[in-house]
Amino acid sequence: MKLSQQVIYQIYPKSFYDSDGDGIGDLRGIIDKIPYLQKLHVNMIWFNPFFVSPQNDNGYDIADYYRIDPTFGTMSDFEALVAKLKAVGIGVMLDMVFNHTSTEHVWFQKALAGDRKYQRFYYLRHAKPDGSLPTNWESKFGGPAWSPFGDTDLYYLHLYDPTQADLDWHNPAVRAACADVVNYWRDKGVKGFRFDVINVTGKANQLVDAPKGVASKTLYTDTPVVQDYLRELNAASFGQDANSVTVGEMSSTTIKNSIGYTNPDNHELSMVFNFHHLKTDYVDGRKWSRMPFDFPRLKHLLDGWATGMDAGNGWQALFWNNHDQPRALNRFGDAGRYRVKSAEMLATVIHLMRGTPFIYMGEEIGMTDPDYDSMADYVDIEALNAYRALVRSGYSHADAFTIVKTKARDNSRTPMQWDASAKAGFTTGRPWLRPTNQAKINVADELAHGELFNYYQQLIKLRQTMPIVADGSYQTWRLDDDQVFGYWRQLGSQKLLVLNNFYAAATTVDCPTEMLTAKVLLSNYDEVTIQPKLVLKPYQSLALLLDEN
Ligand code: NOJ
Ligand code: MG
């Protein structure tokens, strides 16, 4: 199947299904649940990292790119997983974390032991003449981005946790080593690759301070050389397979650069993730803050990206959720009264757009953030650091907790809720993160009498079977509506109008005259009447299809 017809499902292995009772999901557990994935009918699965890792950042701190962490299973489990998924037509996408390695990686360990070759794999720098750190850059997880390099007088750069040391991509040996990793997994039958924060690899050779008032990330994020690196990696690895599927995780990118990364003429990546739409509930761009989402901004971003990427023949990954984001239902939908309808609406928005939809595990049953009542339940380093920083900056413990509760990455990392039992059917042991609302939201109930899973099946099928959904162009509907986000798709003689009511209040929109004779392709409510004043119920989505032939 062409990429434009595919839907990708994301599994956070630690939280999907635990086969051995240690409270942590594993590869055998995923194998057990293949029938479920088959039922949903997704084309490919992106797995978050399960390589050998001290797990300081849940596997994004890789100590060995070539081996499976024993917590998750063995290489033969992995090979069985690939084979069994292949047998049911599902491809595998692995997470390639190449901006940094764990400080436990042998490259870093050799560097520490004085091996010059491996010292050139990392950014090692001296303190400034006044003894201060090499630059004033901040780590994305809080604190300075430099830590002392062993007992030398050098420091090493880490944009994330101190145990995640940044690789120096200026060094051709680093780039070749990364291509080798990709090729190793390609040989095991892997066709998909996600490249973690790949657009922060393009740092300058001379690392300098960010001027006062300028965020340090603007100095090293999304620089032009990233495209050179990607072209080289493409040619040396996945680009040799015409059916490979790649996605770059792009921090603070632009439409222009994202076209560059994904226009097929450039031979870089199949598609990119951007995060602008997921910052529309940030106060002044700050994650650790709270406000209701800004609907006009959200709409303009979704529309602007879809329009721009279409015009430049770029390709986007479409998503609301992943393992780094609180559940979208709690942010852009209604996790209470209209949980199901708003989940369907959000899904419709992205699944009928131009790009490749990603479903994050549990989204298809309407999972929401857990209801934890103290910091004791949170485990993510980012959340723990943020809580401390908020309190230090003057927030009361209660206010800091409320912010962390709505923003923590743990929100999406809770175990998949298979049934209503105390451990959500996830494990027989003690789950590494506590589920809280499985009595109400779980796979068993959803499959027995829910409508959301079935709605996802319909969306997936529409993309797989309808050329207009897969390949149609994108056009703006009106952007001035107070509560509806709509758009047009067009292919040959067909036109599709997708309307989505983002609120609990019903509303009406003027049906374009030409669409009065259209048919309903999909709606999350029964009994739709096509009339000049179209009525949209709470969180209703409506897709109208017109064939002018
Ligand atoms: C992005 C990943 O999605 C996130 O989970 C991780 O912490 C950072 N990259 C660092 O690897
Ligand atoms: Mg286990």
Side-chain angles (χ1 to χ4, degrees), residues 200-384:
V200 301
T201 53
K203 289 138 197 139
N205 226 329
Q206 293 285 341
L207 305 182
V208 296
D209 275 355
K212 262 214 160 50
V214 174
S216 50
K217 69 174 183 186
T218 57
L219 271 64
Y220 57 74
T221 305
D222 217 35
T223 57
V225 70
V226 175
Q227 308 219 356
D228 301 333
Y229 293 156
L230 285 171
R231 271 194 299 275
E232 183 183 298
L233 185 62
N234 175 308
S237 62
F238 60 84
Q240 297 158 4
D241 173 2
N243 295 319
S244 67
V245 174
T246 52
V247 56
E249 187 200 23
M250 299 298 174
S251 165
S252 304
T253 186
T254 60
I255 296 174
K256 181 172 170 279
N257 288 350
S258 293
I259 292 169
Y261 295 130
T262 61
N263 184 309
D265 296 341
N266 294 350
H267 300 283
E268 295 178 28
L269 297 172
S270 316
M271 59 189 147
V272 288
F273 291 117
N274 88 75
F275 297 91
H276 297 288
H277 63 302
L278 297 180
K279 296 182 179 167
T280 53
D281 57 357
Y282 288 13
V283 179
D284 302 328
R286 280 181 294 116
K287 168 169 177 169
W288 301 97
S289 63
R290 276 182 78 199
M291 70 171 201
F293 74 102
D294 177 339
F295 180 58
R297 224 171 100 71
L298 175 66
K299 243 184 353 182
H300 279 89
L301 280 165
L302 292 174
D303 181 75
W305 273 81
T307 307
M309 292 294 268
D310 192 350
N313 199 23
W315 196 254
Q316 314 192 61
L318 306 166
F319 69 108
W320 287 115
N321 290 294
N322 68 29
H323 64 291
D324 292 330
Q325 301 285 331
R327 293 278 178 181
L329 260 179
N330 291 74
R331 305 170 65 184
F332 308 104
D334 178 341
R337 175 151 180 229
Y338 291 108
R339 185 178 65 87
V340 172
K341 291 298 173 197
S342 63
E344 291 166 348
M345 183 281 290
L346 290 172
T348 310
V349 169
I350 59 170
H351 281 257
L352 298 185
M353 265 202 178
R354 182 176 172 279
T356 296
F358 281 67
I359 300 168
Y360 179 68
M361 61 174 212
E363 188 184 312
E364 73 283 8
I365 60 164
M367 276 179 62
T368 58
D369 291 346
D371 188 15
Y372 294 156
D373 45 28
S374 88
M375 280 307 295
D377 277 310
Y378 293 88
V379 302
D380 183 25
I381 34 169
E382 190 202 34
L384 304 181

Side-chain angles (χ1 to χ4, degrees), residues 121 137 200 278 357 426 493 499 522 533:
F121 270 44
W137 298 5
V200 301
L278 297 180
F426 162 70
S493 60
L499 299 169
L522 183 73
K533 291 268 175 216

